[in-house]
Amino acid sequence: MEATSVPAKREIEAKKIDESDYRGSAGSAFVEMDGDIAIMASGGGASLLVMDSLIAAGGKPANYTEYSGNPSREKVEKLTKVVLSKGGLTGCLVAGAVANFTDIYETLSGFAQALKSMKNKPMYPIVVRRGGPRQSEAYKMLANFAKKEGFDIHLFGPETPISVAAREMVRLSNQFKTNNSKLKTKK
Protein backbone atom coordinates (compact mmCIF):
# COMPACT_ATOMS: atom_id res chain seq x y z
CA MET A 1 0.00 0.00 0.00
CA GLU A 2 1.41 3.39 -1.01
CA ALA A 3 1.27 6.24 1.49
CA THR A 4 -0.09 9.53 0.21
CA SER A 5 -0.53 12.90 1.83
CA VAL A 6 -2.47 16.02 1.06
CA PRO A 7 -0.19 19.02 0.49
CA ALA A 8 -0.44 21.75 3.11
CA LYS A 9 -1.57 25.24 2.05
CA ARG A 10 1.95 26.65 2.37
CA GLU A 11 3.35 23.78 0.26
CA ILE A 12 0.89 24.63 -2.53
CA GLU A 13 1.71 28.37 -2.29
CA ALA A 14 5.46 27.68 -2.48
CA LYS A 15 5.15 25.45 -5.55
CA LYS A 16 3.24 28.21 -7.43
CA ILE A 17 6.26 30.55 -7.22
CA ASP A 18 8.13 28.68 -9.98
CA GLU A 19 5.10 28.22 -12.27
CA SER A 20 5.39 31.50 -14.19
CA ASP A 21 9.08 32.34 -13.77
CA TYR A 22 11.70 29.82 -14.78
CA ARG A 23 14.75 31.79 -13.57
CA GLY A 24 16.18 29.49 -10.93
CA SER A 25 14.15 27.56 -8.43
CA ALA A 26 12.38 28.94 -5.36
CA GLY A 27 9.73 26.83 -3.71
CA SER A 28 9.37 23.84 -6.03
CA ALA A 29 10.71 21.72 -3.18
CA PHE A 30 8.75 22.67 -0.05
CA VAL A 31 7.71 20.38 2.77
CA GLU A 32 5.82 21.53 5.85
CA MET A 33 7.28 20.24 9.14
CA ASP A 34 6.36 20.48 12.83
CA GLY A 35 9.35 22.47 14.10
CA ASP A 36 9.84 26.12 14.98
CA ILE A 37 12.95 27.14 12.99
CA ALA A 38 12.21 28.34 9.45
CA ILE A 39 14.62 27.14 6.77
CA MET A 40 15.69 28.95 3.60
CA ALA A 41 18.35 26.64 2.18
CA SER A 42 20.22 27.09 -1.06
CA GLY A 43 21.33 24.24 -3.29
CA GLY A 44 20.18 20.62 -3.30
CA GLY A 45 23.11 18.97 -1.52
CA ALA A 46 23.76 21.93 0.75
CA SER A 47 20.09 22.08 1.73
CA LEU A 48 20.30 18.52 3.03
CA LEU A 49 23.45 19.42 4.97
CA VAL A 50 21.60 22.43 6.46
CA MET A 51 18.75 20.18 7.62
CA ASP A 52 21.07 17.49 9.01
CA SER A 53 23.19 20.09 10.82
CA LEU A 54 20.17 21.82 12.37
CA ILE A 55 18.68 18.53 13.58
CA ALA A 56 22.07 17.31 14.90
CA ALA A 57 22.34 20.57 16.88
CA GLY A 58 18.95 19.91 18.49
CA GLY A 59 16.88 22.23 16.29
CA LYS A 60 13.48 21.42 14.88
CA PRO A 61 12.90 22.61 11.30
CA ALA A 62 9.54 24.21 10.51
CA ASN A 63 9.94 23.35 6.82
CA TYR A 64 12.23 22.06 4.15
CA THR A 65 12.69 24.28 1.11
CA GLU A 66 15.43 25.43 -1.13
CA TYR A 67 16.17 28.12 -3.63
CA SER A 68 18.92 27.73 -6.20
CA GLY A 69 19.97 28.30 -9.80
CA ASN A 70 20.05 32.10 -9.45
CA PRO A 71 16.36 32.82 -8.77
CA SER A 72 15.15 36.40 -9.09
CA ARG A 73 14.82 38.74 -6.13
CA GLU A 74 11.04 38.56 -6.54
CA LYS A 75 10.96 34.78 -6.32
CA VAL A 76 13.06 34.76 -3.14
CA GLU A 77 10.81 37.45 -1.67
CA LYS A 78 7.71 35.34 -2.37
CA LEU A 79 9.32 32.20 -0.95
CA THR A 80 10.43 34.07 2.18
CA LYS A 81 6.87 35.27 2.79
CA VAL A 82 5.56 31.70 2.50
CA VAL A 83 8.28 30.28 4.76
CA LEU A 84 7.86 32.96 7.45
CA SER A 85 4.05 32.86 7.40
CA LYS A 86 4.03 29.93 9.82
CA GLY A 87 3.06 30.86 13.36
CA GLY A 88 5.20 30.06 16.39
CA LEU A 89 8.59 30.45 14.74
CA THR A 90 11.58 31.00 17.02
CA GLY A 91 14.26 31.48 14.36
CA CYS A 92 15.11 31.50 10.68
CA LEU A 93 18.18 29.89 9.13
CA VAL A 94 19.18 31.07 5.66
CA ALA A 95 22.07 28.87 4.62
CA GLY A 96 23.84 27.25 1.72
CA ALA A 97 27.22 26.44 0.31
CA VAL A 98 29.33 28.83 -1.75
CA ALA A 99 27.37 29.68 -4.89
CA ASN A 100 29.07 29.71 -8.27
CA PHE A 101 26.60 31.86 -10.15
CA THR A 102 23.69 32.70 -7.82
CA ASP A 103 23.81 36.43 -7.15
CA ILE A 104 23.89 36.55 -3.34
CA TYR A 105 23.05 40.26 -3.28
CA GLU A 106 19.92 39.76 -5.41
CA THR A 107 18.64 36.77 -3.45
CA LEU A 108 19.29 38.33 -0.03
CA SER A 109 17.71 41.58 -1.25
CA GLY A 110 14.56 39.56 -1.92
CA PHE A 111 14.80 38.10 1.58
CA ALA A 112 15.19 41.58 3.12
CA GLN A 113 12.30 43.00 1.06
CA ALA A 114 10.02 40.22 2.35
CA LEU A 115 11.03 40.95 5.95
CA LYS A 116 10.38 44.65 5.49
CA SER A 117 6.93 44.08 3.98
CA MET A 118 5.66 41.72 6.69
CA LYS A 119 2.83 43.04 8.88
CA ASN A 120 4.16 41.27 11.95
CA LYS A 121 7.89 41.89 11.97
CA PRO A 122 9.81 38.79 13.05
CA MET A 123 11.46 39.44 16.40
CA TYR A 124 13.19 36.05 16.48
CA PRO A 125 16.85 35.66 15.48
CA ILE A 126 17.84 35.15 11.86
CA VAL A 127 21.10 33.43 10.95
CA VAL A 128 22.48 33.84 7.44
CA ARG A 129 25.37 31.68 6.20
CA ARG A 130 26.06 32.21 2.49
CA GLY A 131 28.92 32.73 0.11
CA GLY A 132 29.33 33.57 -3.53
CA PRO A 133 29.06 36.42 -6.03
CA ARG A 134 28.38 39.81 -4.43
CA GLN A 135 28.36 38.36 -0.90
CA SER A 136 30.23 41.30 0.65
CA GLU A 137 27.71 43.76 -0.88
CA ALA A 138 24.85 41.60 0.37
CA TYR A 139 26.22 41.36 3.91
CA LYS A 140 26.82 45.10 4.09
CA MET A 141 23.25 45.68 2.91
CA LEU A 142 21.84 43.18 5.44
CA ALA A 143 23.84 44.63 8.33
CA ASN A 144 22.56 48.14 7.54
CA PHE A 145 19.04 46.81 6.99
CA ALA A 146 19.02 44.96 10.32
CA LYS A 147 20.22 48.02 12.20
CA LYS A 148 17.76 50.39 10.49
CA GLU A 149 14.72 48.09 10.63
CA GLY A 150 15.41 46.44 14.01
CA PHE A 151 15.95 42.82 12.94
CA ASP A 152 18.17 40.38 14.86
CA ILE A 153 20.32 39.15 11.94
CA HIS A 154 23.59 37.23 12.44
CA LEU A 155 25.86 36.94 9.39
CA PHE A 156 28.34 34.14 8.69
CA GLY A 157 30.45 33.78 5.57
CA PRO A 158 31.79 30.65 3.89
CA GLU A 159 34.70 30.52 6.35
CA THR A 160 32.12 29.32 8.91
CA PRO A 161 30.96 25.73 8.45
CA ILE A 162 27.23 25.23 7.93
CA SER A 163 27.20 23.02 11.04
CA VAL A 164 28.54 25.91 13.17
CA ALA A 165 25.92 28.31 11.78
CA ALA A 166 23.21 25.71 12.54
CA ARG A 167 24.43 25.33 16.13
CA GLU A 168 24.36 29.10 16.53
CA MET A 169 20.81 29.18 15.16
CA VAL A 170 19.70 26.59 17.72
CA ARG A 171 21.44 28.49 20.55
CA LEU A 172 19.82 31.78 19.54
CA SER A 173 16.41 30.12 19.08
CA ASN A 174 16.61 28.56 22.55
CA GLN A 175 17.63 31.93 24.01
CA PHE A 176 14.67 33.57 22.24
CA LYS A 177 12.28 30.94 23.68
CA THR A 178 13.69 31.42 27.19
CA ASN A 179 13.42 35.21 27.00
CA ASN A 180 9.85 35.01 25.67
CA SER A 181 8.75 32.63 28.41
CA LYS A 182 10.23 34.99 31.03
CA LEU A 183 8.30 37.90 29.52
CA LYS A 184 5.05 35.89 29.58
CA THR A 185 5.50 34.94 33.26
CA LYS A 186 6.13 38.58 34.22
CA LYS A 187 2.78 39.71 32.80
Side-chain angles (χ1 to χ4, degrees), residues 8-11 30-35 61-64 82 86:
K9 181 182 177 204
R10 289 172 358 109
E11 290 173 329
F30 187 100
V31 178
E32 188 79 38
M33 301 176 88
D34 292 335
N63 62 281
Y64 168 83
V82 171
K86 182 175 183 174

Side-chain angles (χ1 to χ4, degrees), residues 110-126:
F111 179 74
Q113 187 58 40
L115 289 175
K116 188 174 183 173
S117 70
M118 293 179 73
K119 287 182 184 177
N120 296 320
K121 180 169 89 171
M123 299 307 295
Y124 47 77
I126 297 168

Side-chain angles (χ1 to χ4, degrees), residues 170-184:
V170 171
R171 185 189 73 75
L172 291 166
S173 171
N174 288 337
Q175 186 178 42
F176 178 79
K177 288 185 250 188
T178 299
N179 292 343
N180 273 355
S181 67
K182 286 179 184 176
L183 288 174
K184 288 177 183 176

Side-chain angles (χ1 to χ4, degrees), residues 96-145:
V98 177
N100 290 324
F101 62 89
T102 294
D103 186 327
I104 303 302
Y105 183 84
E106 284 298 309
T107 56
L108 291 179
S109 291
F111 179 74
Q113 187 58 40
L115 289 175
K116 188 174 183 173
S117 70
M118 293 179 73
K119 287 182 184 177
N120 296 320
K121 180 169 89 171
M123 299 307 295
Y124 47 77
I126 297 168
V127 170
V128 178
R129 190 280 186 195
R130 291 292 288 136
R134 298 180 67 196
Q135 174 205 327
S136 58
E137 279 179 77
Y139 276 31
K140 185 176 181 180
M141 176 273 297
L142 276 179
N144 291 334
F145 171 79

Side-chain angles (χ1 to χ4, degrees), residues 9-85:
K9 181 182 177 204
R10 289 172 358 109
E11 290 173 329
I12 294 168
E13 286 177 38
K15 288 180 189 337
K16 287 180 182 178
I17 295 168
D18 282 336
E19 284 179 358
S20 62
D21 184 347
Y22 296 99
R23 296 173 291 169
S25 173
S28 292
F30 187 100
V31 178
E32 188 79 38
M33 301 176 88
D34 292 335
D36 57 0
I37 297 175
I39 303 295
M40 294 279 299
S42 186
S47 65
L48 297 176
L49 177 59
V50 169
M51 296 296 282
D52 287 349
S53 296
L54 184 74
I55 292 166
K60 295 182 176 134
N63 62 281
Y64 168 83
T65 194
E66 66 176 80
Y67 65 95
S68 62
N70 203 25
S72 67
R73 176 187 306 215
E74 295 80 16
K75 286 176 77 166
V76 175
E77 179 181 355
K78 288 176 186 177
L79 181 60
T80 301
K81 288 177 181 179
V82 171
V83 168
L84 300 184
S85 68

